[in-house]
Amino acid sequence: VAMPGGARRLYRRILLLHRALPAALRALGDRYVKEEFRKHKAAGPAEAQRFLREWEATLIQRQINEDKQNLREKTVYGIQLTEEKLNDFRDEQIGQLKELMDEATKPHKKLTVSKDSEHKT
């Protein structure tokens, strides 16, 4: 069963929101979103609905954070996950979060993007 048609619209909105991120975080975020949506492309109806609900909630939270940042003029990335929310995650998802955290907290590398879209460090 394919994911509902709203998935493509949500996917585009997330990638559009990523444009405001620094280049390295944008590349990381875009890659993560693409992998997650690809993995859930053929999810069953219940799982697809939950997946989309969670991403929609994440998108709304990001937009709220962005609005707050615009008011404060201080950039803060990410959201704090509650213990209740973490308990809902499968072991695989916890592993993905750990990988994402490790990648996002690596020492800063200089990232340049060439015209042919290849990333170089």
Side-chain angles (χ1 to χ4, degrees):
V1 177
M3 290 178 71
R8 183 169 294 179
R9 186 172 42 253
L10 178 61
Y11 177 77
R12 285 187 201 144
R13 287 174 50 207
I14 292 167
L15 294 180
L16 183 64
L17 189 59
H18 283 183
R19 290 182 182 176
L21 296 172
L25 285 177
R26 179 181 178 185
L28 176 66
D30 287 355
R31 188 171 58 243
Y32 179 76
V33 170
K34 288 174 185 178
E35 287 174 14
E36 284 299 298
F37 272 75
R38 192 175 302 121
K39 285 180 189 176
H40 289 83
K41 194 172 187 176
E47 185 179 355
Q49 286 301 321
R50 182 172 180 199
F51 175 81
L52 293 175
R53 254 193 330 271
E54 291 298 322
W55 273 102
E56 183 69 36
T58 300
L59 178 66
I60 290 168
Q61 186 62 46
R62 286 181 187 176
Q63 289 171 330
I64 289 169
N65 287 346
E66 187 177 86
D67 290 343
K68 286 180 185 178
Q69 289 171 29
N70 289 338
L71 293 175
R72 288 192 312 249
E73 296 186 26
K74 179 181 177 192
T75 303
V76 178
Y77 297 106
I79 59 172
Q80 187 71 25
L81 292 173
T82 64
E83 188 172 335
E84 178 183 306
K85 184 64 95 178
L86 287 171
N87 289 336
D88 287 341
F89 289 177
R90 296 185 311 264
D91 288 342
E92 176 188 350
Q93 291 172 310
I94 295 292
Q96 289 174 328
L97 280 174
K98 171 87 171 85
E99 289 175 23
L100 186 60
M101 182 187 74
D102 291 345
E103 188 69 28
T105 56
K106 280 183 179 176
H108 298 294
K109 295 180 184 177
K110 185 172 179 163
L111 181 73
T112 58
V113 180
S114 65
K115 289 183 181 182
D116 61 356
S117 298
E118 288 183 18
H119 293 231
K120 299 177 181 178
T121 55

